[in-house]
Short mmCIF file of all heavy atoms in Angstrom, two decimals:
data_model
loop_
_atom_site.label_atom_id
_atom_site.label_comp_id
_atom_site.label_asym_id
_atom_site.label_seq_id
_atom_site.Cartn_x
_atom_site.Cartn_y
_atom_site.Cartn_z
N LYS A 390 5.14 18.75 -29.47
CA LYS A 390 4.14 17.69 -29.37
C LYS A 390 4.73 16.32 -29.74
O LYS A 390 5.82 16.23 -30.30
CB LYS A 390 2.94 18.01 -30.29
CG LYS A 390 2.26 19.34 -29.99
CD LYS A 390 1.59 19.32 -28.63
CE LYS A 390 0.79 20.62 -28.40
NZ LYS A 390 0.14 20.62 -27.07
N ASP A 391 3.97 15.29 -29.45
CA ASP A 391 4.40 13.91 -29.71
C ASP A 391 4.18 13.57 -31.18
O ASP A 391 3.07 13.23 -31.60
CB ASP A 391 3.61 12.96 -28.81
CG ASP A 391 4.13 11.53 -28.88
OD1 ASP A 391 4.92 11.22 -29.79
OD2 ASP A 391 3.76 10.72 -28.01
N GLY A 392 5.24 13.66 -31.96
CA GLY A 392 5.14 13.39 -33.40
C GLY A 392 4.90 11.92 -33.71
O GLY A 392 4.21 11.59 -34.68
N ALA A 393 5.46 11.03 -32.91
CA ALA A 393 5.28 9.60 -33.17
C ALA A 393 3.82 9.20 -33.09
O ALA A 393 3.31 8.44 -33.93
CB ALA A 393 6.11 8.78 -32.18
N ALA A 394 3.10 9.74 -32.09
CA ALA A 394 1.68 9.41 -31.94
C ALA A 394 0.87 10.00 -33.09
O ALA A 394 -0.04 9.36 -33.62
CB ALA A 394 1.17 9.94 -30.60
N SER A 395 1.20 11.25 -33.49
CA SER A 395 0.47 11.89 -34.59
C SER A 395 0.70 11.17 -35.91
O SER A 395 -0.23 10.97 -36.70
CB SER A 395 0.89 13.35 -34.71
OG SER A 395 0.23 13.99 -35.77
N LYS A 396 1.94 10.76 -36.15
CA LYS A 396 2.26 10.03 -37.38
C LYS A 396 1.54 8.69 -37.43
O LYS A 396 1.02 8.29 -38.47
CB LYS A 396 3.77 9.84 -37.47
CG LYS A 396 4.24 9.15 -38.73
CD LYS A 396 5.75 9.00 -38.71
CE LYS A 396 6.27 8.33 -39.96
NZ LYS A 396 7.75 8.14 -39.90
N LYS A 397 1.47 8.00 -36.30
CA LYS A 397 0.78 6.72 -36.24
C LYS A 397 -0.70 6.89 -36.56
O LYS A 397 -1.28 6.09 -37.32
CB LYS A 397 0.95 6.11 -34.85
CG LYS A 397 0.24 4.76 -34.70
CD LYS A 397 0.42 4.20 -33.29
CE LYS A 397 -0.32 2.88 -33.13
NZ LYS A 397 -0.20 2.36 -31.74
N ALA A 398 -1.33 7.93 -36.02
CA ALA A 398 -2.74 8.18 -36.29
C ALA A 398 -2.97 8.46 -37.77
O ALA A 398 -3.97 8.02 -38.36
CB ALA A 398 -3.23 9.36 -35.44
N PHE A 399 -2.04 9.20 -38.40
CA PHE A 399 -2.15 9.48 -39.84
C PHE A 399 -2.08 8.19 -40.64
O PHE A 399 -2.89 7.96 -41.56
CB PHE A 399 -1.03 10.43 -40.25
CG PHE A 399 -0.91 10.61 -41.75
CD1 PHE A 399 -1.74 11.49 -42.42
CD2 PHE A 399 0.03 9.89 -42.47
CE1 PHE A 399 -1.63 11.64 -43.80
CE2 PHE A 399 0.15 10.05 -43.84
CZ PHE A 399 -0.69 10.92 -44.50
N CYS A 400 -1.10 7.33 -40.33
CA CYS A 400 -0.95 6.07 -41.06
C CYS A 400 -2.18 5.18 -40.91
O CYS A 400 -2.64 4.56 -41.87
CB CYS A 400 0.30 5.34 -40.59
SG CYS A 400 1.86 6.18 -41.00
N GLU A 401 -2.73 5.13 -39.71
CA GLU A 401 -3.93 4.33 -39.47
C GLU A 401 -5.10 4.85 -40.29
O GLU A 401 -5.91 4.07 -40.82
CB GLU A 401 -4.27 4.34 -37.99
CG GLU A 401 -3.28 3.56 -37.13
CD GLU A 401 -3.55 3.71 -35.65
OE1 GLU A 401 -4.28 4.65 -35.26
OE2 GLU A 401 -3.05 2.88 -34.84
N LYS A 402 -5.21 6.18 -40.42
CA LYS A 402 -6.30 6.76 -41.19
C LYS A 402 -6.17 6.43 -42.68
O LYS A 402 -7.16 6.15 -43.36
CB LYS A 402 -6.33 8.28 -40.98
CG LYS A 402 -7.50 8.97 -41.64
CD LYS A 402 -7.54 10.46 -41.32
CE LYS A 402 -8.74 11.14 -41.99
NZ LYS A 402 -8.76 12.59 -41.68
N VAL A 403 -4.93 6.46 -43.20
CA VAL A 403 -4.72 6.12 -44.61
C VAL A 403 -5.10 4.67 -44.86
O VAL A 403 -5.79 4.36 -45.85
CB VAL A 403 -3.25 6.37 -44.99
CG1 VAL A 403 -2.96 5.81 -46.39
CG2 VAL A 403 -2.93 7.85 -44.97
N ILE A 404 -4.68 3.77 -43.99
CA ILE A 404 -5.03 2.36 -44.16
C ILE A 404 -6.54 2.17 -44.12
O ILE A 404 -7.11 1.39 -44.90
CB ILE A 404 -4.34 1.51 -43.07
CG1 ILE A 404 -2.82 1.52 -43.28
CG2 ILE A 404 -4.86 0.08 -43.07
CD1 ILE A 404 -2.05 0.82 -42.20
N GLN A 405 -7.20 2.88 -43.23
CA GLN A 405 -8.65 2.79 -43.15
C GLN A 405 -9.30 3.26 -44.45
O GLN A 405 -10.28 2.66 -44.92
CB GLN A 405 -9.16 3.63 -41.97
CG GLN A 405 -10.66 3.56 -41.77
CD GLN A 405 -11.12 4.42 -40.61
OE1 GLN A 405 -10.36 5.19 -40.04
NE2 GLN A 405 -12.38 4.29 -40.23
N THR A 406 -8.73 4.31 -45.05
CA THR A 406 -9.28 4.85 -46.30
C THR A 406 -9.13 3.86 -47.46
O THR A 406 -10.09 3.56 -48.17
CB THR A 406 -8.58 6.18 -46.66
OG1 THR A 406 -8.82 7.14 -45.62
CG2 THR A 406 -9.11 6.73 -47.99
#
Side-chain angles (χ1 to χ4, degrees):
K390 302 294 185 180
D391 188 346
S395 179
K396 182 180 181 182
K397 180 181 178 182
F399 170 82
C400 293
E401 290 174 343
K402 185 176 181 180
V403 171
I404 293 175
Q405 182 181 9
T406 299

